[in-house]
Amino acid sequence: ILTHPDYIDGNPDLIKPKKLLNPVKASKSHQELHRELLMNHKRGLSVQSKPELQRVLEHRRRSQLIRQKKEEEEAKKLQSPFEKELLKRHQRLDQLEKEQEKEEDHAPEFIKVKENLRRT
């Protein structure tokens, strides 16, 4: 059952409403995707296959990540014993600082104030 419009078709003074555009279909990316799907369908290509540009970009991204991981591993292997020892000491100092902060949080406030007075 279709509803009829409230206006009369014969009256030229009335402005007829236009159908609103779908913002998704009006977007350029949607139009390009639709065009690409139509071309792939005409060629007989599978819809599951990715466009060439997207495949190339993914391949580059993947190879770049692999290259970065290899460089990081090489950097870890090339660390001298001195650098390893410095890293261990730095971690140990950080851990000690965290423990001291926890201990200071549990101390009464008058002790904190007294320590601040000694410093000044």
Side-chain angles (χ1 to χ4, degrees):
I1 300 173
L2 296 174
T3 58
H4 296 286
D6 294 337
Y7 58 87
I8 302 171
D9 289 333
N11 192 348
D13 296 335
L14 293 177
I15 299 172
K16 295 181 182 178
K18 293 182 181 178
K19 188 173 181 180
L20 295 175
L21 293 176
N22 186 347
V24 173
K25 289 185 178 180
S27 72
K28 279 200 176 246
S29 61
H30 182 272
Q31 291 173 358
E32 290 171 359
L33 178 65
H34 185 66
R35 193 176 308 119
E36 187 175 337
L37 285 172
L38 287 175
M39 291 192 52
N40 284 343
H41 181 70
K42 286 179 186 176
R43 287 187 205 153
L45 296 175
S46 171
V47 178
Q48 298 294 332
S49 66
K50 296 180 182 177
E52 185 178 354
L53 177 63
Q54 189 175 4
R55 278 185 278 148
V56 169
L57 290 175
E58 286 179 357
H59 179 70
R60 282 186 186 173
R61 233 179 277 131
R62 199 176 314 118
S63 62
Q64 194 175 30
L65 285 174
I66 292 170
R67 207 176 317 120
Q68 279 181 342
K69 287 180 182 178
K70 284 182 182 179
E71 289 174 359
E72 289 175 3
E73 289 175 4
E74 289 176 9
K76 286 181 182 178
K77 289 179 183 177
L78 295 177
Q79 277 185 345
S80 67
F82 178 70
E83 290 175 339
K84 290 179 183 177
E85 190 63 33
L86 280 176
L87 184 63
K88 285 180 186 177
R89 288 185 182 194
H90 181 68
Q91 289 173 350
R92 200 176 318 134
L93 285 173
D94 286 343
Q95 193 175 22
L96 288 173
E97 287 177 2
K98 288 179 184 177
E99 289 176 3
Q100 286 178 354
E101 288 176 3
K102 287 180 183 177
E103 290 175 8
E104 289 176 1
D105 290 342
H106 296 296
E109 190 170 339
F110 69 91
I111 294 176
K112 293 178 187 176
V113 172
K114 189 175 179 183
E115 289 176 2
N116 289 338
L117 288 174
R118 284 183 189 166
R119 291 180 190 158
T120 57

